[in-house]
Amino acid sequence: MNILKLDTIRGRMRLYFMLVVCIPSVISALFFYFFHREQIIENEKIQIADDLYKNRNTVRGYIDVCFEDVNFLIRILKSHCSEISRASEEFSEYIATHPDISAAVFLGPDGTSVIDTMGKTGIYAGDRQYFAEAREGRTAITTGIKGRVSGKPICIFSSPVFDAKGNFDGVVFITILVG
């Protein structure tokens, strides 16, 4: 049984009408798939590259601000070197005004915490990578670790502290909770 009934004029007209409607649609779809698809993909790649460039600048700016904050805390520490309790109060005031930062810490030259805004001093962190970097005189960004006090994933921005003679005097760092 012939579905289109091509043996009648009406059946042939149906066939020709379907061909007239379907062939341009199929050709347009194939043209779009083979030619415009590449152009759309290329435009999306360019857009993603632009977004990544903008985000890179934003992240670099945020990192710079974090290290400026660490340097600010080092200046506080140096101005109150004989009064650790006063420096500790100013670290706490700093944390109160910066809700995105979870802790500000000063580790002495032996690696134990002298000032910790989370409230627990005397914790040994001399085995951490950022402490080793600071002993070499370098700043560091450390990610992918859990805080020993909070137990949560953190990102650490650290910088070494030197005394007036240029000797290593410890590390100041700020922590930011990841997530």
Side-chain angles (χ1 to χ4, degrees):
M1 178 173 212
N2 193 351
I3 296 174
L4 295 176
K5 298 183 182 176
L6 294 177
D7 54 343
T8 64
I9 295 177
R10 179 179 275 183
R12 288 184 184 154
M13 285 179 64
R14 267 190 227 135
L15 174 68
Y16 295 140
F17 181 74
M18 285 177 32
L19 289 176
V20 166
V21 170
C22 292
I23 289 176
S25 299
V26 170
I27 290 173
S28 297
L30 291 173
F31 180 78
F32 175 76
Y33 182 76
F34 289 115
F35 297 106
H36 286 301
R37 181 174 176 259
E38 293 298 321
Q39 183 180 7
I40 289 172
I41 290 172
E42 199 59 38
N43 287 342
E44 287 301 315
K45 285 181 183 177
I46 291 169
Q47 182 65 36
I48 289 171
D50 289 343
D51 290 344
L52 288 174
Y53 180 76
K54 290 174 188 172
N55 289 338
R56 180 187 67 179
N57 290 337
T58 302
V59 170
R60 281 186 181 166
Y62 184 72
I63 289 171
D64 290 344
V65 167
C66 287
F67 278 117
E68 287 173 11
D69 289 349
V70 170
N71 290 332
F72 173 72
L73 292 171
I74 290 172
R75 286 192 300 275
I76 288 173
L77 187 65
K78 285 183 177 181
S79 68
H80 298 294
C81 60
S82 61
E83 299 177 67
I84 291 296
S85 62
R86 181 66 187 133
S88 179
E89 289 173 14
E90 291 199 27
F91 273 46
S92 296
E93 290 172 8
Y94 167 81
I95 289 297
T97 59
H98 294 78
D100 56 327
I101 297 173
S102 61
V105 179
F106 167 59
L107 299 177
D110 61 348
T112 57
S113 60
V114 178
I115 299 173
D116 190 342
T117 58
M118 303 243 348
K120 296 189 179 189
T121 57
I123 296 174
Y124 181 72
D127 59 341
R128 295 285 187 142
Q129 180 64 30
Y130 58 84
F131 189 79
E133 292 287 329
R135 285 186 89 66
E136 298 295 322
R138 295 186 296 262
T139 61
I141 301 173
T142 307
T143 59
I145 63 171
K146 287 189 177 184
R148 291 196 172 155
V149 176
S150 67
K152 298 177 181 175
I154 57 174
C155 179
I156 295 176
F157 295 88
S158 62
S159 188
V161 178
F162 298 103
D163 63 10
K165 296 178 183 176
N167 298 323
F168 179 71
D169 202 23
V171 179
V172 169
F173 66 85
I174 58 174
T175 62
I176 298 170
L177 292 175
V178 177

